[in-house]
Short mmCIF file of all heavy atoms in Angstrom, two decimals:
data_model
loop_
_atom_site.label_atom_id
_atom_site.label_comp_id
_atom_site.label_asym_id
_atom_site.label_seq_id
_atom_site.Cartn_x
_atom_site.Cartn_y
_atom_site.Cartn_z
N PRO H 123 -0.89 3.39 -1.14
CA PRO H 123 0.49 3.47 -1.63
C PRO H 123 0.60 3.31 -3.14
O PRO H 123 1.52 3.83 -3.74
CB PRO H 123 1.20 2.32 -0.92
CG PRO H 123 0.28 1.81 0.12
CD PRO H 123 -1.08 2.36 -0.16
N LEU H 124 -0.34 2.61 -3.75
CA LEU H 124 -0.26 2.39 -5.20
C LEU H 124 -0.53 3.67 -5.98
O LEU H 124 -0.14 3.79 -7.15
CB LEU H 124 -1.26 1.31 -5.63
CG LEU H 124 -1.08 -0.07 -4.97
CD1 LEU H 124 -2.14 -1.04 -5.47
CD2 LEU H 124 0.30 -0.62 -5.19
N MET H 125 -1.14 4.65 -5.34
CA MET H 125 -1.46 5.90 -6.03
C MET H 125 -0.22 6.74 -6.36
O MET H 125 -0.30 7.63 -7.20
CB MET H 125 -2.45 6.72 -5.22
CG MET H 125 -3.83 6.07 -5.18
SD MET H 125 -5.01 6.96 -4.15
CE MET H 125 -5.14 8.49 -5.04
N VAL H 126 0.91 6.44 -5.74
CA VAL H 126 2.12 7.21 -6.05
C VAL H 126 2.67 6.87 -7.43
O VAL H 126 3.47 7.63 -7.97
CB VAL H 126 3.24 7.03 -4.99
CG1 VAL H 126 2.77 7.47 -3.63
CG2 VAL H 126 3.79 5.64 -4.98
N GLY H 127 2.27 5.75 -7.98
CA GLY H 127 2.76 5.35 -9.29
C GLY H 127 3.99 4.48 -9.20
O GLY H 127 4.73 4.50 -8.21
N LEU H 128 4.21 3.71 -10.25
CA LEU H 128 5.32 2.76 -10.28
C LEU H 128 6.69 3.42 -10.16
O LEU H 128 7.53 2.96 -9.38
CB LEU H 128 5.27 1.95 -11.58
CG LEU H 128 4.23 0.85 -11.65
CD1 LEU H 128 4.08 0.36 -13.09
CD2 LEU H 128 4.61 -0.29 -10.74
N GLU H 129 6.92 4.47 -10.92
CA GLU H 129 8.26 5.09 -10.91
C GLU H 129 8.57 5.71 -9.56
O GLU H 129 9.69 5.58 -9.06
CB GLU H 129 8.37 6.11 -12.04
CG GLU H 129 8.42 5.49 -13.41
CD GLU H 129 9.53 4.45 -13.56
OE1 GLU H 129 10.68 4.72 -13.15
OE2 GLU H 129 9.25 3.36 -14.08
N ARG H 130 7.60 6.38 -8.97
CA ARG H 130 7.84 6.99 -7.65
C ARG H 130 8.05 5.92 -6.60
O ARG H 130 8.94 6.03 -5.76
CB ARG H 130 6.65 7.88 -7.28
CG ARG H 130 6.79 8.55 -5.95
CD ARG H 130 7.78 9.71 -6.02
NE ARG H 130 7.80 10.38 -4.71
CZ ARG H 130 8.89 10.65 -4.04
NH1 ARG H 130 10.07 10.37 -4.56
NH2 ARG H 130 8.84 11.23 -2.88
N ALA H 131 7.25 4.85 -6.64
CA ALA H 131 7.40 3.76 -5.69
C ALA H 131 8.78 3.13 -5.84
O ALA H 131 9.45 2.83 -4.84
CB ALA H 131 6.31 2.72 -5.89
N LYS H 132 9.22 2.92 -7.06
CA LYS H 132 10.55 2.34 -7.31
C LYS H 132 11.63 3.20 -6.67
O LYS H 132 12.52 2.68 -5.99
CB LYS H 132 10.79 2.22 -8.81
CG LYS H 132 12.12 1.62 -9.18
CD LYS H 132 12.27 1.53 -10.69
CE LYS H 132 13.62 1.00 -11.08
NZ LYS H 132 13.77 0.93 -12.54
N SER H 133 11.54 4.51 -6.83
CA SER H 133 12.55 5.39 -6.24
C SER H 133 12.47 5.38 -4.72
O SER H 133 13.50 5.45 -4.04
CB SER H 133 12.44 6.81 -6.79
OG SER H 133 11.25 7.42 -6.39
N ILE H 134 11.27 5.27 -4.17
CA ILE H 134 11.11 5.19 -2.72
C ILE H 134 11.74 3.91 -2.18
O ILE H 134 12.50 3.93 -1.21
CB ILE H 134 9.62 5.29 -2.32
CG1 ILE H 134 9.09 6.69 -2.61
CG2 ILE H 134 9.42 4.91 -0.86
CD1 ILE H 134 7.58 6.82 -2.51
N PHE H 135 11.43 2.78 -2.81
CA PHE H 135 11.99 1.50 -2.37
C PHE H 135 13.51 1.53 -2.45
O PHE H 135 14.20 1.08 -1.53
CB PHE H 135 11.45 0.34 -3.21
CG PHE H 135 9.97 0.14 -3.12
CD1 PHE H 135 9.28 -0.43 -4.17
CD2 PHE H 135 9.24 0.51 -2.00
CE1 PHE H 135 7.91 -0.64 -4.11
CE2 PHE H 135 7.87 0.31 -1.92
CZ PHE H 135 7.20 -0.27 -2.98
N GLN H 136 14.04 2.06 -3.54
CA GLN H 136 15.49 2.12 -3.70
C GLN H 136 16.13 3.02 -2.65
O GLN H 136 17.18 2.69 -2.10
CB GLN H 136 15.85 2.61 -5.11
CG GLN H 136 15.55 1.60 -6.18
CD GLN H 136 15.72 2.15 -7.58
OE1 GLN H 136 15.66 3.35 -7.81
NE2 GLN H 136 15.91 1.25 -8.54
N ALA H 137 15.50 4.15 -2.36
CA ALA H 137 16.05 5.09 -1.36
C ALA H 137 16.05 4.46 0.03
O ALA H 137 17.03 4.58 0.76
CB ALA H 137 15.24 6.38 -1.35
N ILE H 138 14.99 3.79 0.38
CA ILE H 138 14.91 3.13 1.68
C ILE H 138 16.00 2.07 1.80
O ILE H 138 16.73 2.01 2.78
CB ILE H 138 13.52 2.52 1.92
CG1 ILE H 138 12.47 3.62 2.09
CG2 ILE H 138 13.53 1.58 3.13
CD1 ILE H 138 11.04 3.11 2.09
N GLN H 139 16.11 1.25 0.77
CA GLN H 139 17.08 0.16 0.82
C GLN H 139 18.52 0.67 0.81
O GLN H 139 19.40 0.06 1.39
CB GLN H 139 16.80 -0.83 -0.30
CG GLN H 139 15.49 -1.57 -0.04
CD GLN H 139 15.04 -2.44 -1.19
OE1 GLN H 139 15.36 -2.18 -2.35
NE2 GLN H 139 14.27 -3.46 -0.87
N ALA H 140 18.75 1.82 0.18
CA ALA H 140 20.10 2.39 0.16
C ALA H 140 20.47 2.98 1.53
O ALA H 140 21.63 2.95 1.93
CB ALA H 140 20.20 3.47 -0.91
N LYS H 141 19.50 3.50 2.24
CA LYS H 141 19.76 4.16 3.53
C LYS H 141 19.84 3.20 4.70
O LYS H 141 20.58 3.42 5.64
CB LYS H 141 18.67 5.20 3.83
CG LYS H 141 18.62 6.34 2.86
CD LYS H 141 19.69 7.33 3.16
CE LYS H 141 19.57 8.51 2.20
NZ LYS H 141 20.62 9.46 2.38
N ILE H 142 19.05 2.14 4.66
CA ILE H 142 18.99 1.21 5.79
C ILE H 142 19.92 0.04 5.51
O ILE H 142 19.65 -0.78 4.65
CB ILE H 142 17.55 0.71 6.03
CG1 ILE H 142 16.62 1.89 6.32
CG2 ILE H 142 17.52 -0.29 7.17
CD1 ILE H 142 15.17 1.51 6.44
N LYS H 143 20.98 -0.02 6.27
CA LYS H 143 21.97 -1.09 6.06
C LYS H 143 21.68 -2.31 6.92
O LYS H 143 22.11 -3.41 6.60
CB LYS H 143 23.38 -0.57 6.37
CG LYS H 143 23.78 0.61 5.51
CD LYS H 143 23.73 0.28 4.04
CE LYS H 143 24.14 1.47 3.20
NZ LYS H 143 23.86 1.32 1.80
N ALA H 144 20.95 -2.13 8.01
CA ALA H 144 20.60 -3.25 8.88
C ALA H 144 19.54 -4.12 8.19
O ALA H 144 18.81 -3.65 7.31
CB ALA H 144 20.05 -2.72 10.21
N PRO H 145 19.44 -5.39 8.58
CA PRO H 145 18.39 -6.24 8.01
C PRO H 145 17.02 -5.60 8.24
O PRO H 145 16.74 -5.08 9.32
CB PRO H 145 18.52 -7.54 8.80
CG PRO H 145 19.93 -7.54 9.30
CD PRO H 145 20.27 -6.10 9.56
N HIS H 146 16.20 -5.59 7.22
CA HIS H 146 14.88 -4.99 7.32
C HIS H 146 13.93 -5.62 6.31
O HIS H 146 14.36 -6.34 5.40
CB HIS H 146 14.95 -3.48 7.07
CG HIS H 146 15.41 -3.14 5.68
ND1 HIS H 146 16.73 -3.18 5.31
CD2 HIS H 146 14.71 -2.78 4.58
CE1 HIS H 146 16.83 -2.85 4.03
NE2 HIS H 146 15.63 -2.60 3.56
N LYS H 147 12.66 -5.35 6.48
CA LYS H 147 11.63 -5.82 5.55
C LYS H 147 10.74 -4.64 5.21
O LYS H 147 10.43 -3.82 6.07
CB LYS H 147 10.79 -6.93 6.17
CG LYS H 147 11.57 -8.19 6.44
CD LYS H 147 10.68 -9.26 7.01
CE LYS H 147 11.50 -10.52 7.28
NZ LYS H 147 10.68 -11.60 7.80
N LEU H 148 10.34 -4.56 3.96
CA LEU H 148 9.40 -3.54 3.53
C LEU H 148 8.01 -4.16 3.43
O LEU H 148 7.87 -5.31 2.99
CB LEU H 148 9.79 -2.96 2.18
CG LEU H 148 11.14 -2.24 2.10
CD1 LEU H 148 11.39 -1.76 0.68
CD2 LEU H 148 11.17 -1.08 3.06
N ALA H 149 7.00 -3.41 3.83
CA ALA H 149 5.62 -3.90 3.77
C ALA H 149 4.69 -2.73 3.52
O ALA H 149 5.01 -1.59 3.85
CB ALA H 149 5.25 -4.61 5.06
N MET H 150 3.54 -3.01 2.93
CA MET H 150 2.52 -1.99 2.73
C MET H 150 1.14 -2.62 2.77
O MET H 150 0.99 -3.82 2.59
CB MET H 150 2.73 -1.26 1.40
CG MET H 150 2.59 -2.14 0.18
SD MET H 150 2.92 -1.19 -1.30
CE MET H 150 1.55 -1.70 -2.31
N THR H 151 0.16 -1.77 3.04
CA THR H 151 -1.22 -2.20 3.05
C THR H 151 -1.97 -1.44 1.96
O THR H 151 -1.77 -0.23 1.80
CB THR H 151 -1.87 -1.91 4.42
OG1 THR H 151 -1.14 -2.61 5.42
CG2 THR H 151 -3.32 -2.37 4.46
N THR H 152 -2.82 -2.13 1.23
CA THR H 152 -3.56 -1.52 0.13
C THR H 152 -4.90 -2.24 -0.02
O THR H 152 -5.04 -3.39 0.38
CB THR H 152 -2.76 -1.61 -1.18
OG1 THR H 152 -3.56 -1.08 -2.25
CG2 THR H 152 -2.38 -3.03 -1.52
N ASN H 153 -5.84 -1.57 -0.66
CA ASN H 153 -7.09 -2.26 -1.00
C ASN H 153 -6.95 -2.99 -2.34
O ASN H 153 -7.87 -3.65 -2.78
CB ASN H 153 -8.28 -1.29 -1.02
CG ASN H 153 -8.18 -0.24 -2.10
OD1 ASN H 153 -7.30 -0.27 -2.96
ND2 ASN H 153 -9.08 0.72 -2.06
N ALA H 154 -5.80 -2.84 -2.96
CA ALA H 154 -5.41 -3.55 -4.19
C ALA H 154 -6.17 -3.13 -5.44
O ALA H 154 -6.04 -3.77 -6.48
CB ALA H 154 -5.50 -5.07 -4.00
N MET H 155 -6.90 -2.06 -5.38
CA MET H 155 -7.67 -1.63 -6.55
C MET H 155 -6.78 -1.29 -7.74
O MET H 155 -7.17 -1.47 -8.88
CB MET H 155 -8.56 -0.42 -6.21
CG MET H 155 -9.67 -0.74 -5.23
SD MET H 155 -10.87 -1.93 -5.86
CE MET H 155 -11.60 -0.98 -7.18
N LEU H 156 -5.59 -0.81 -7.48
CA LEU H 156 -4.68 -0.41 -8.56
C LEU H 156 -3.56 -1.42 -8.80
O LEU H 156 -2.64 -1.15 -9.56
CB LEU H 156 -4.08 0.97 -8.24
CG LEU H 156 -5.09 2.11 -8.07
CD1 LEU H 156 -4.37 3.40 -7.68
CD2 LEU H 156 -5.92 2.31 -9.33
N LEU H 157 -3.65 -2.58 -8.18
CA LEU H 157 -2.61 -3.60 -8.32
C LEU H 157 -2.63 -4.19 -9.73
O LEU H 157 -3.67 -4.61 -10.22
CB LEU H 157 -2.83 -4.70 -7.28
CG LEU H 157 -1.68 -5.64 -7.03
CD1 LEU H 157 -0.44 -4.90 -6.56
CD2 LEU H 157 -2.08 -6.67 -5.99
N THR H 158 -1.49 -4.19 -10.38
CA THR H 158 -1.35 -4.70 -11.75
C THR H 158 -0.17 -5.67 -11.78
O THR H 158 0.63 -5.72 -10.84
CB THR H 158 -1.05 -3.54 -12.73
OG1 THR H 158 0.20 -2.95 -12.38
CG2 THR H 158 -2.16 -2.50 -12.72
N PRO H 159 -0.02 -6.39 -12.87
CA PRO H 159 1.16 -7.26 -13.00
C PRO H 159 2.47 -6.49 -12.87
O PRO H 159 3.44 -7.00 -12.30
CB PRO H 159 1.00 -7.88 -14.39
CG PRO H 159 -0.48 -7.89 -14.62
CD PRO H 159 -0.97 -6.62 -13.97
N GLU H 160 2.50 -5.25 -13.34
CA GLU H 160 3.72 -4.44 -13.23
C GLU H 160 4.02 -4.12 -11.76
O GLU H 160 5.18 -4.14 -11.35
CB GLU H 160 3.56 -3.14 -14.04
CG GLU H 160 3.49 -3.35 -15.53
CD GLU H 160 2.11 -3.79 -16.04
OE1 GLU H 160 1.11 -3.67 -15.30
OE2 GLU H 160 2.05 -4.26 -17.18
N TRP H 161 2.99 -3.82 -10.99
CA TRP H 161 3.17 -3.59 -9.57
C TRP H 161 3.69 -4.85 -8.88
O TRP H 161 4.60 -4.79 -8.05
CB TRP H 161 1.86 -3.14 -8.91
CG TRP H 161 1.72 -1.66 -8.84
CD1 TRP H 161 0.91 -0.87 -9.61
CD2 TRP H 161 2.39 -0.79 -7.95
NE1 TRP H 161 1.06 0.44 -9.25
CE2 TRP H 161 1.96 0.52 -8.23
CE3 TRP H 161 3.33 -0.97 -6.95
CZ2 TRP H 161 2.43 1.63 -7.54
CZ3 TRP H 161 3.80 0.14 -6.25
CH2 TRP H 161 3.35 1.41 -6.56
N ILE H 162 3.11 -5.98 -9.19
CA ILE H 162 3.53 -7.24 -8.58
C ILE H 162 5.00 -7.50 -8.88
O ILE H 162 5.77 -7.89 -7.99
CB ILE H 162 2.64 -8.40 -9.03
CG1 ILE H 162 1.22 -8.18 -8.48
CG2 ILE H 162 3.20 -9.74 -8.60
CD1 ILE H 162 0.17 -9.11 -9.05
N GLU H 163 5.40 -7.24 -10.11
CA GLU H 163 6.81 -7.42 -10.48
C GLU H 163 7.71 -6.50 -9.65
O GLU H 163 8.75 -6.93 -9.13
CB GLU H 163 6.98 -7.12 -11.97
CG GLU H 163 8.37 -7.33 -12.49
CD GLU H 163 8.47 -7.09 -13.99
OE1 GLU H 163 7.49 -7.33 -14.71
OE2 GLU H 163 9.55 -6.63 -14.41
N LEU H 164 7.33 -5.23 -9.50
CA LEU H 164 8.12 -4.28 -8.72
C LEU H 164 8.17 -4.68 -7.26
O LEU H 164 9.24 -4.65 -6.63
CB LEU H 164 7.54 -2.87 -8.86
CG LEU H 164 8.27 -1.78 -8.08
CD1 LEU H 164 9.67 -1.56 -8.66
CD2 LEU H 164 7.47 -0.50 -8.08
N LEU H 165 7.04 -5.08 -6.69
CA LEU H 165 6.99 -5.48 -5.29
C LEU H 165 7.85 -6.72 -5.04
O LEU H 165 8.56 -6.81 -4.05
CB LEU H 165 5.55 -5.72 -4.86
CG LEU H 165 4.66 -4.47 -4.89
CD1 LEU H 165 3.19 -4.84 -4.74
CD2 LEU H 165 5.08 -3.46 -3.84
N ASN H 166 7.80 -7.67 -5.97
CA ASN H 166 8.64 -8.86 -5.86
C ASN H 166 10.12 -8.51 -5.95
O ASN H 166 10.94 -9.02 -5.19
CB ASN H 166 8.28 -9.88 -6.94
CG ASN H 166 7.06 -10.68 -6.61
OD1 ASN H 166 6.70 -10.86 -5.46
ND2 ASN H 166 6.37 -11.15 -7.64
N LEU H 167 10.45 -7.63 -6.87
CA LEU H 167 11.84 -7.22 -7.06
C LEU H 167 12.43 -6.63 -5.77
O LEU H 167 13.58 -6.91 -5.42
CB LEU H 167 11.93 -6.19 -8.19
CG LEU H 167 13.30 -5.60 -8.47
CD1 LEU H 167 14.25 -6.67 -9.02
CD2 LEU H 167 13.20 -4.44 -9.44
N HIS H 168 11.63 -5.86 -5.07
CA HIS H 168 12.10 -5.20 -3.84
C HIS H 168 11.68 -5.94 -2.58
O HIS H 168 11.87 -5.44 -1.47
CB HIS H 168 11.61 -3.75 -3.81
CG HIS H 168 12.27 -2.91 -4.86
ND1 HIS H 168 13.54 -2.40 -4.71
CD2 HIS H 168 11.86 -2.55 -6.10
CE1 HIS H 168 13.87 -1.74 -5.81
NE2 HIS H 168 12.87 -1.81 -6.67
N LYS H 169 11.12 -7.13 -2.77
CA LYS H 169 10.72 -7.98 -1.64
C LYS H 169 9.80 -7.25 -0.66
O LYS H 169 9.99 -7.30 0.55
CB LYS H 169 11.94 -8.54 -0.94
CG LYS H 169 12.78 -9.45 -1.83
CD LYS H 169 13.97 -10.00 -1.08
CE LYS H 169 14.73 -10.99 -1.91
NZ LYS H 169 15.47 -10.46 -3.01
N VAL H 170 8.80 -6.55 -1.22
CA VAL H 170 7.84 -5.81 -0.41
C VAL H 170 6.64 -6.72 -0.12
O VAL H 170 6.00 -7.22 -1.04
CB VAL H 170 7.36 -4.54 -1.13
CG1 VAL H 170 6.33 -3.79 -0.29
CG2 VAL H 170 8.54 -3.63 -1.47
N SER H 171 6.37 -6.94 1.16
CA SER H 171 5.19 -7.72 1.54
C SER H 171 3.96 -6.83 1.41
O SER H 171 4.02 -5.63 1.67
CB SER H 171 5.31 -8.18 3.00
OG SER H 171 6.42 -9.04 3.14
N VAL H 172 2.85 -7.44 1.02
CA VAL H 172 1.62 -6.68 0.82
C VAL H 172 0.48 -7.29 1.63
O VAL H 172 0.26 -8.50 1.59
CB VAL H 172 1.22 -6.67 -0.68
CG1 VAL H 172 -0.09 -5.93 -0.89
CG2 VAL H 172 2.33 -6.04 -1.51
N CYS H 173 -0.20 -6.43 2.36
CA CYS H 173 -1.41 -6.82 3.07
C CYS H 173 -2.58 -6.16 2.33
O CYS H 173 -2.55 -4.95 2.09
CB CYS H 173 -1.36 -6.34 4.51
SG CYS H 173 -2.87 -6.67 5.43
N VAL H 174 -3.56 -6.94 1.95
CA VAL H 174 -4.72 -6.40 1.24
C VAL H 174 -5.86 -6.24 2.23
O VAL H 174 -6.27 -7.20 2.89
CB VAL H 174 -5.14 -7.32 0.07
CG1 VAL H 174 -6.41 -6.80 -0.59
CG2 VAL H 174 -4.02 -7.43 -0.94
N SER H 175 -6.35 -5.00 2.35
CA SER H 175 -7.47 -4.74 3.24
C SER H 175 -8.77 -4.95 2.47
O SER H 175 -8.89 -4.57 1.31
CB SER H 175 -7.41 -3.31 3.79
OG SER H 175 -7.55 -2.37 2.75
N ILE H 176 -9.71 -5.57 3.12
CA ILE H 176 -11.03 -5.80 2.53
C ILE H 176 -12.03 -5.07 3.41
O ILE H 176 -12.25 -5.44 4.56
CB ILE H 176 -11.35 -7.31 2.44
CG1 ILE H 176 -10.28 -8.00 1.60
CG2 ILE H 176 -12.75 -7.52 1.87
CD1 ILE H 176 -10.39 -9.49 1.57
N ASP H 177 -12.62 -4.03 2.88
CA ASP H 177 -13.45 -3.15 3.68
C ASP H 177 -14.87 -3.63 3.89
O ASP H 177 -15.52 -3.23 4.83
CB ASP H 177 -13.48 -1.75 3.07
CG ASP H 177 -12.08 -1.13 3.06
OD1 ASP H 177 -11.28 -1.45 3.95
OD2 ASP H 177 -11.81 -0.33 2.16
N GLY H 178 -15.36 -4.48 3.02
CA GLY H 178 -16.72 -4.97 3.16
C GLY H 178 -17.76 -3.95 2.74
O GLY H 178 -17.44 -2.90 2.19
N PRO H 179 -19.04 -4.24 3.02
CA PRO H 179 -20.10 -3.32 2.63
C PRO H 179 -20.06 -2.04 3.46
O PRO H 179 -19.47 -2.00 4.55
CB PRO H 179 -21.38 -4.11 2.90
CG PRO H 179 -21.00 -5.15 3.89
CD PRO H 179 -19.55 -5.45 3.65
N LYS H 180 -20.70 -0.99 2.97
CA LYS H 180 -20.68 0.32 3.60
C LYS H 180 -21.05 0.26 5.08
O LYS H 180 -20.38 0.87 5.92
CB LYS H 180 -21.62 1.28 2.87
CG LYS H 180 -21.62 2.69 3.42
CD LYS H 180 -22.53 3.58 2.61
CE LYS H 180 -22.53 5.02 3.00
NZ LYS H 180 -22.14 5.43 4.30
N GLU H 181 -22.08 -0.47 5.42
CA GLU H 181 -22.54 -0.52 6.81
C GLU H 181 -21.44 -1.06 7.73
O GLU H 181 -21.21 -0.55 8.82
CB GLU H 181 -23.79 -1.38 6.95
CG GLU H 181 -24.95 -0.97 6.07
CD GLU H 181 -24.80 -1.42 4.62
OE1 GLU H 181 -24.28 -2.53 4.36
OE2 GLU H 181 -25.18 -0.63 3.73
N THR H 182 -20.77 -2.10 7.30
CA THR H 182 -19.70 -2.71 8.10
C THR H 182 -18.48 -1.80 8.13
O THR H 182 -17.89 -1.54 9.19
CB THR H 182 -19.31 -4.08 7.54
OG1 THR H 182 -20.47 -4.90 7.49
CG2 THR H 182 -18.24 -4.75 8.36
N HIS H 183 -18.10 -1.30 6.97
CA HIS H 183 -16.93 -0.43 6.86
C HIS H 183 -17.06 0.79 7.77
O HIS H 183 -16.15 1.11 8.52
CB HIS H 183 -16.76 0.01 5.40
CG HIS H 183 -15.66 0.99 5.20
ND1 HIS H 183 -14.39 0.60 4.89
CD2 HIS H 183 -15.64 2.34 5.27
CE1 HIS H 183 -13.62 1.67 4.78
NE2 HIS H 183 -14.36 2.75 5.00
N ASP H 184 -18.20 1.46 7.69
CA ASP H 184 -18.37 2.71 8.42
C ASP H 184 -18.47 2.54 9.94
O ASP H 184 -18.28 3.50 10.68
CB ASP H 184 -19.58 3.48 7.90
CG ASP H 184 -19.29 4.17 6.58
OD1 ASP H 184 -18.11 4.23 6.18
OD2 ASP H 184 -20.24 4.66 5.93
N THR H 185 -18.72 1.34 10.41
CA THR H 185 -18.72 1.14 11.87
C THR H 185 -17.30 1.00 12.41
O THR H 185 -17.06 1.23 13.59
CB THR H 185 -19.53 -0.11 12.27
OG1 THR H 185 -18.94 -1.26 11.69
CG2 THR H 185 -20.98 0.00 11.86
N ARG H 186 -16.35 0.66 11.55
CA ARG H 186 -14.97 0.41 12.00
C ARG H 186 -13.97 1.47 11.53
O ARG H 186 -12.93 1.64 12.14
CB ARG H 186 -14.49 -0.95 11.49
CG ARG H 186 -15.42 -2.07 11.84
CD ARG H 186 -14.83 -2.87 12.94
NE ARG H 186 -15.66 -4.03 13.18
CZ ARG H 186 -16.00 -4.43 14.37
NH1 ARG H 186 -15.60 -3.77 15.43
NH2 ARG H 186 -16.75 -5.49 14.53
N ARG H 187 -14.26 2.12 10.41
CA ARG H 187 -13.30 3.05 9.83
C ARG H 187 -13.94 4.44 9.74
O ARG H 187 -14.70 4.72 8.83
CB ARG H 187 -12.86 2.57 8.44
CG ARG H 187 -12.43 1.13 8.43
CD ARG H 187 -11.06 0.75 8.00
NE ARG H 187 -10.22 1.63 7.29
CZ ARG H 187 -9.65 1.33 6.14
NH1 ARG H 187 -9.90 0.19 5.53
NH2 ARG H 187 -8.82 2.16 5.58
N ILE H 188 -13.58 5.27 10.69
CA ILE H 188 -14.17 6.60 10.73
C ILE H 188 -13.07 7.65 10.65
O ILE H 188 -11.91 7.40 10.97
CB ILE H 188 -15.01 6.80 12.01
CG1 ILE H 188 -14.16 6.54 13.26
CG2 ILE H 188 -16.24 5.92 12.01
CD1 ILE H 188 -14.84 6.88 14.56
N ASP H 189 -13.46 8.85 10.22
CA ASP H 189 -12.50 9.94 10.11
C ASP H 189 -12.46 10.75 11.41
O ASP H 189 -13.10 10.39 12.40
CB ASP H 189 -12.81 10.81 8.89
CG ASP H 189 -14.16 11.51 8.97
OD1 ASP H 189 -14.75 11.61 10.08
OD2 ASP H 189 -14.64 11.98 7.92
N LYS H 190 -11.72 11.85 11.38
CA LYS H 190 -11.54 12.69 12.57
C LYS H 190 -12.85 13.28 13.07
O LYS H 190 -12.96 13.63 14.25
CB LYS H 190 -10.55 13.81 12.29
CG LYS H 190 -9.15 13.33 12.04
CD LYS H 190 -8.24 14.48 11.69
CE LYS H 190 -6.86 13.99 11.33
NZ LYS H 190 -5.97 15.08 10.95
N ARG H 191 -13.83 13.40 12.20
CA ARG H 191 -15.12 13.97 12.59
C ARG H 191 -16.13 12.90 13.00
O ARG H 191 -17.28 13.19 13.26
CB ARG H 191 -15.69 14.79 11.44
CG ARG H 191 -14.84 16.03 11.13
CD ARG H 191 -15.34 16.76 9.91
NE ARG H 191 -15.03 15.92 8.75
CZ ARG H 191 -15.70 15.93 7.61
NH1 ARG H 191 -16.70 16.75 7.44
NH2 ARG H 191 -15.35 15.16 6.62
N GLY H 192 -15.67 11.63 13.02
CA GLY H 192 -16.57 10.54 13.41
C GLY H 192 -17.45 10.04 12.29
O GLY H 192 -18.37 9.27 12.51
N GLN H 193 -17.16 10.45 11.06
CA GLN H 193 -17.94 10.04 9.90
C GLN H 193 -17.30 8.80 9.26
O GLN H 193 -16.10 8.65 9.25
CB GLN H 193 -17.99 11.17 8.86
CG GLN H 193 -18.59 12.45 9.39
CD GLN H 193 -20.04 12.29 9.80
OE1 GLN H 193 -20.84 11.74 9.05
NE2 GLN H 193 -20.37 12.72 11.01
N GLY H 194 -18.13 7.94 8.70
CA GLY H 194 -17.63 6.77 7.98
C GLY H 194 -16.80 7.18 6.78
O GLY H 194 -17.02 8.24 6.18
N THR H 195 -15.86 6.34 6.40
CA THR H 195 -14.94 6.66 5.28
C THR H 195 -15.18 5.82 4.04
O THR H 195 -14.33 5.78 3.16
CB THR H 195 -13.48 6.46 5.74
OG1 THR H 195 -13.31 5.10 6.16
CG2 THR H 195 -13.12 7.41 6.86
N TYR H 196 -16.32 5.16 3.94
CA TYR H 196 -16.59 4.29 2.79
C TYR H 196 -16.57 5.08 1.53
O TYR H 196 -17.04 6.17 1.42
CB TYR H 196 -17.94 3.61 2.96
CG TYR H 196 -18.22 2.59 1.89
CD1 TYR H 196 -17.67 1.34 1.95
CD2 TYR H 196 -19.04 2.90 0.82
CE1 TYR H 196 -17.93 0.39 0.97
CE2 TYR H 196 -19.30 1.95 -0.16
CZ TYR H 196 -18.75 0.70 -0.08
OH TYR H 196 -19.00 -0.23 -1.06
#
């Protein structure tokens, strides 16, 4: 999700919050490679919960995370 960039993410968060009037929570999962203080500020502003995935070494990662062809995604 961080690859969309700060400005695009901001517009996405604003659009979601404008459309959904019922109580809701925003959340995303990332490996956090692109997480910066600016991202943290934006996520806090929009109260977006973040789950950080830790993939581990290639051998471990590829046994659990495979693509449509059965190949590892490390």
